[in-house]
Amino acid sequence: MSEVYDVVVIGAGPGGYVAAIRAAQLGLRTLCVEKGNLGGVCLNVGCIPSKALIGASKLYWKARNGAHMGILAGDAGLDMDAMIDWKDGITNKLTSGIGGLFKANGVEHRVGSARLAGPGKVVIEGEAGADAVLTRNVILATGSTPVQIPFLPFGEHVLDSTGALALREVPGKLAVVGGGVIGMELGEVFARLGSEVTVIEALPRLLAAFDPDVVRPLEQKQKKKLGMKHLVDTKVEGAEIDAEGVTLRWSGKAAGEGRFDKVLVAVGRRPNSASLGLETVGLSPDARGFVTVDAQQRTTAAGVFAIGDLVGNPMLAHKASKEGEVAAEVVAGHPAAMDVRAIPNVVYTDPEIASVGPSLEALKAEGRPLKVGKFGFGALGRAMTSDATDGFARVVGDAETGEILAIHLVGAEASELVAEAGLALEMGAELDDLSLTVHAHPTMAEGVMEAAKAALGEAIHAVNR
Ligand code: NAI
């Protein structure tokens, strides 16, 4: 017990590893403890591998469905082993890159499972047994775990997102329980690769956090082009799992049952706050398991900070990273705070969905006077040349001040377009700022500019109403 650290970071996901690097950059003696690979869910079994399969499956689908563009790739084939190996190569490269960054910045790294053991003390259980380290501060960054449905335990045929991302055979029939972000992204991947996909969602709509009109182009494309089935307002009630697959029964709007080779369960994630020794420093998680923090990411226990999925929604890697930087800076005595105005929310489907700020529904419910401008990508040259005319950009401003309150995007490259949208909100931009900024032609981003112009009644390439 001779070590005394300035900060011990527990967990090396996009929250924890960023916190550790930033802390070390600020001259703090920093230890990061991680029981698995560096990079957490995001790099190993989440954001990055899913985007690899999304990208690869889009290319495959285009090769088979590009005849109208003059692409005659014949019966393009699929080598699932090679695709999964390629994906794994990317995650290996990125996770070892974090190891390199730790070394370069002077972050000490230990493999093991860490927990609080009273103020200033962290116990680490590694392969060689347990020992304790002393530290002035701790940053908890242990992330979240997929929620399991009791009668659908994860196994060979019932998969969480990690299992789905490792499939080396395309299931013939795939059920996706939960029409949220993971369900829509991964359901679509397997539909493009050839699975017959049925999405079962308990709420009356898919991706309920977004406005219905934003989700509609995606729903249409999934149904019409990929043959996906969407059962909304429908709840899975029971299951029989056998050696070959799963029979699911569901009730509600589309009551019925079906037989599937695999079932992907994506009904949300819950924070990893148990087994962290929170009680040893006088902390207890809230009813949903989240650890409560203030704008400096401080818990109510002195010297204990928490970040990422552990502290609440949105459970997004980029939110966790930002909170990690804030926590490290606060530990180092800097006047940092989590005071961001815009956290982008992206769904990597085809078309992509991305937004900053509240939904239009939520803004209307506030009763505030709004100026709303919408520009359909069907009228955009670049969208046509990319064979990606589905979707639109919408800019919502305050009718009195012109301040941009939200930007909603559905279409190709929405995940990239949202960067400008985030900057606009973060800088308190007004509709004029976006409308007057010269945007390169031809780009998808012109659609965002045109939407701002439309909100002002000054659209050039659409009829102003
Ligand atoms: P989610 O919260 O996005 O969606 C879960 C869906 O399951 C909801 O629509 C819910 O109504 C439905 N549901 C719940 N119980 C059900 C039941 N018994 N039967 C049918 N439907 C049911 O959660 P998801 O997709 O599991 O993702 C987990 C987290 O991971 C999210 O918080 C998300 O923020 C994050 N994530 C983010 C991504 C991104 O930013 N692109 C990609 C993937 C995940």
Side-chain angles (χ1 to χ4, degrees):
M1 288 229 317
S2 57
E3 315 278 22
V4 179
Y5 290 97
D6 291 316
V7 59
V8 172
V9 182
I10 304 180
Y17 87 72
V18 168
I21 290 172
R22 188 71 192 121
Q25 283 174 351
L26 292 166
L28 301 172
R29 183 162 184 220
T30 307
L31 170 68
C32 184
V33 188
E34 166 61 58
K35 63 179 177 189
N37 290 339
L38 296 177
V41 170
C42 168
L43 266 67
N44 291 286
V45 290
C47 319
I48 296 297
S50 64
K51 264 79 260 177
L53 294 192
I54 287 166
S57 63
K58 275 189 187 173
L59 282 176
Y60 173 66
W61 194 82
K62 201 61 151 181
R64 293 169 70 95
N65 295 279
H68 64 289
M69 294 169 77
I71 299 171
L72 302 174
D75 194 17
L78 183 62
D79 180 342
M80 204 55 194
D81 274 325
M83 194 182 280
I84 297 295
D85 290 344
W86 170 72
K87 173 212 74 169
D88 289 345
I90 296 168
T91 56
N92 290 340
K93 193 170 173 185
L94 284 170
T95 54
S96 65
I98 297 172
L101 288 172
F102 273 6
K103 277 205 188 85
N105 285 284
V107 175
E108 290 177 46
H109 165 219
R110 282 188 57 182
V111 180
S113 186
R115 65 173 191 276
L116 297 165
K121 195 169 161 191
V122 172
V123 167
I124 303 169
E125 269 179 61
E127 273 192 359
D131 66 329
V133 293
L134 299 180
T135 181
R136 293 180 186 88
N137 300 278
V138 178
I139 299 176
L140 304 171
T142 48
S144 62
T145 311
V147 169
Q148 188 162 259
I149 297 177
F151 58 81
L152 273 174
F154 295 126
E156 191 192 342
H157 299 301
V158 180
L159 310 170
D160 60 6
S161 50
T162 301
L165 288 168
L167 282 177
R168 284 179 180 264
E169 254 177 58
V170 178
K173 286 190 171 190
L174 173 71
V176 178
V177 183
V181 191
I182 293 179
M184 297 307 271
E185 287 185 2
L186 290 186
E188 195 181 273
V189 163
F190 287 100
R192 279 192 292 266
L193 295 179
S195 296
E196 209 178 284
V197 178
T198 304
V199 179
I200 305 164
E201 165 59 50
L203 294 177
R205 32 198 257 227
L206 302 167
L207 292 171
F210 294 89
D211 288 306
D213 64 338
V214 172
V215 181
R216 202 162 299 125
L218 169 65
E219 272 181 65
Q220 295 296 326
K221 189 158 187 184
Q222 287 195 344
K223 283 201 276 202
K224 290 195 179 140
K225 298 268 170 70
L226 300 179
M228 288 172 67
K229 285 192 198 117
H230 297 151
L231 311 180
V232 294
D233 227 342
T234 301
K235 207 163 174 203
V236 174
E237 296 268 291
E240 271 94 54
I241 306 167
D242 55 45
E244 312 292 303
V246 183
T247 302
L248 286 183
R249 285 188 310 281
W250 51 82
S251 64
K253 196 173 164 193
E257 63 172 49
R259 175 84 187 156
F260 301 94
D261 301 298
K262 302 279 179 199
V263 177
L264 164 62
V265 178
V267 295
R269 302 179 61 91
R270 66 178 149 68
N272 294 327
S273 53
S275 326
L276 257 184
L278 293 174
E279 66 290 347
T280 67
V281 294
L283 292 175
S284 52
D286 72 12
R288 292 183 299 162
F290 292 118
V291 174
T292 307
V293 290
D294 66 10
Q296 270 87 36
Q297 306 301 134
R298 291 179 202 276
T299 67
T300 49
V304 180
F305 296 73
I307 61 174
D309 289 5
L310 190 60
V311 304
N313 291 312
M315 289 188 174
L316 299 172
H318 41 283
K319 187 213 74 158
S321 299
K322 182 69 194 169
E323 290 176 343
E325 287 180 280
V326 168
E329 289 178 14
V330 173
V331 169
H334 290 232
M338 190 66 188
D339 61 352
V340 297
R341 299 174 68 158
I343 297 178
N345 197 0
V346 179
V347 190
Y348 294 84
T349 41
D350 180 18
E352 293 181 341
I353 291 176
S355 72
V356 281
S359 65
L360 186 58
E361 278 180 336
L363 286 168
K364 281 184 175 165
E366 283 177 24
R368 176 168 186 176
L370 302 171
K371 276 189 180 164
V372 182
K374 194 168 168 179
F375 190 83
F377 290 134
L380 205 62
R382 184 61 190 271
M384 291 181 206
T385 61
S386 306
D387 191 34
T389 50
D390 293 327
F392 60 84
R394 177 166 63 212
V395 179
V396 187
D398 183 296
E400 278 150 22
T401 64
E403 184 188 348
I404 297 173
L405 304 173
I407 298 183
H408 308 131
L409 305 159
V410 51
E413 313 296 343
S415 57
E416 299 295 335
L417 300 179
V418 81
E420 177 184 36
L423 186 66
L425 259 77
E426 203 58 56
M427 297 195 70
E430 296 173 7
L431 293 168
D432 274 336
D433 295 316
L434 205 44
S435 157
L436 294 172
T437 300
V438 177
H439 284 64
H441 175 76
T443 57
M444 295 297 288
E446 287 175 290
V448 182
M449 173 187 71
E450 285 276 7
K453 286 185 189 295
L456 296 164
E458 297 170 1
I460 299 295
H461 296 92
V463 179
N464 294 295
R465 289 177 223 276

